[in-house]
Amino acid sequence: MNRGRRRATNHLLTILRVLALALWSLKICVLYLCRRLTLGSRAERLRRTPDWVQFWGRWAAWLAGVEVRCATPLPPRGVLLCPNHLGYVDVLALAATLPCFFVSRADAASWPLIGFLIRASEQVLVSRRRARDLVESSRLLAERLGLGQSVCLFLEGTSTGGDHLLRFLPTLLQPAIEVRAEAVPVGMRWDAPSAGMTVSDDVAYWGDHQFLPHFWRLMGLPGCRVTIFFGSPVPTRGRDRKELAEDLQQRVQQLVFGRP
């Protein structure tokens, strides 16, 4: 449960930002869907999609008032990105930083605007309700890694207020192990520089937050920033997924908090 006093939002700023994001997103979606008609195969489409997502993300982050800084060199393509997780703002920041697919929770596909983007760009949706859903998600994740595209997987399974990490879940690491894709730990350090704002209460999407009220408030706040740290790629070949999850958690812990 979230605690603390949340800063009041500027509703006019919210309206301006939401309209700008909607128009930009609609434009990119139309161009992307038109471009898809000229691509001959599914594989070729999946190879091109991450670049479109990054193109969208660069401007979307700016329009949303999110300042993104990268403190380390970018990893190569074709890796499994494993960051800490505060909510949908992580997706916005990473999309602005490098081309990749995202593994998103299935219910996010029903969110206004964001859900449309998720479906149009063929992100990997995961639901833990049925075993066959996880099997299909694993297949799609392996497919994208096998095509040499990076995939971002939030191994905590849910978001936090940013002051700690949850245990990394190992299940969806198996596809990376099977295709021998390296895993890259990613540390995201969020900051709310304006007076009266905090990361836990105003930026992170967790606890008792609901998407629409949270998104509306965040778009009307002065802005936030994140510094991204990419760790060294970790080989996955022959690794036990539980041991690999623990290893990645320790590495992300070090990147985010500077301590093991």
Side-chain angles (χ1 to χ4, degrees):
M1 183 68 67
N2 295 345
R3 296 179 180 178
R5 185 176 181 179
R6 297 170 184 169
R7 175 166 173 165
T9 195
N10 182 326
H11 295 293
L12 177 59
L13 180 58
T14 294
I15 293 171
L16 292 174
R17 280 180 171 163
V18 170
L19 284 176
L21 281 168
L23 291 173
W24 172 244
S25 299
L26 179 61
K27 176 181 178 179
I28 291 300
C29 278
V30 170
L31 292 175
Y32 168 71
L33 293 174
C34 290
R35 176 58 175 155
R36 279 179 53 169
L37 298 176
T38 67
L39 300 177
S41 67
R42 172 180 171 83
E44 183 63 20
R45 187 173 74 241
L46 292 178
R47 289 190 183 99
R48 299 290 185 89
T49 297
D51 293 308
W52 281 88
V53 173
Q54 184 185 20
F55 182 49
W56 167 82
R58 286 174 174 171
W59 281 97
W62 181 78
L63 291 171
V66 177
E67 180 184 352
V68 183
R69 303 174 180 177
C70 190
T72 57
L74 297 179
R77 283 208 186 198
V79 299
L80 185 69
L81 302 166
C82 305
N84 56 309
H85 194 28
L86 273 73
Y88 58 85
V89 287
D90 300 322
V91 175
L92 192 61
L94 287 167
T97 304
L98 77 174
C100 68
F101 284 99
F102 292 90
V103 178
S104 302
R105 50 194 253 191
D107 65 325
S110 64
W111 291 355
L113 180 61
I114 291 178
F116 175 72
L117 297 175
I118 288 173
R119 295 190 301 272
S121 58
E122 299 181 273
Q123 304 302 321
V124 179
L125 298 175
V126 59
S127 171
R128 294 182 173 84
R129 293 181 179 179
R130 298 175 297 183
R132 66 181 181 182
D133 292 335
L134 279 175
V135 171
E136 177 62 11
S137 299
S138 296
R139 184 189 69 80
L140 295 175
L141 197 161
E143 176 189 37
R144 284 150 176 75
L145 290 172
L147 290 171
Q149 299 304 312
S150 295
V151 179
C152 178
L153 172 62
F154 298 103
L155 288 169
E156 292 172 278
T158 188
S159 52
T160 71
D163 59 347
H164 66 287
L165 290 184
L166 300 175
R167 183 177 70 88
F168 278 19
L169 304 176
T171 304
L172 287 177
L173 286 174
Q174 192 62 39
I177 295 172
E178 292 175 355
V179 301
R180 302 177 181 179
E182 293 181 314
V184 174
V186 183
M188 304 185 70
R189 300 182 187 177
W190 285 92
D191 182 30
S194 299
M197 283 182 63
T198 66
V199 170
S200 177
D201 290 318
D202 298 303
V203 180
Y205 175 70
W206 70 297
D208 64 351
H209 282 138
Q210 296 180 344
F211 174 69
L212 282 177
H214 184 275
F215 181 70
W216 184 268
R217 285 190 62 255
L218 183 61
M219 291 302 96
L221 296 178
C224 56
R225 63 189 177 205
V226 61
T227 304
I228 303 176
F229 299 82
F230 294 100
S232 300
V234 177
T236 65
R237 181 179 180 180
R239 299 285 295 272
D240 174 80
R241 66 188 186 189
K242 292 183 179 179
E243 182 272 332
L244 178 59
E246 293 174 358
D247 183 14
L248 290 169
Q249 181 177 341
Q250 292 175 2
R251 293 170 184 261
V252 173
Q253 178 88 13
Q254 179 69 35
L255 291 171
V256 177
F257 301 109
R259 61 178 187 273

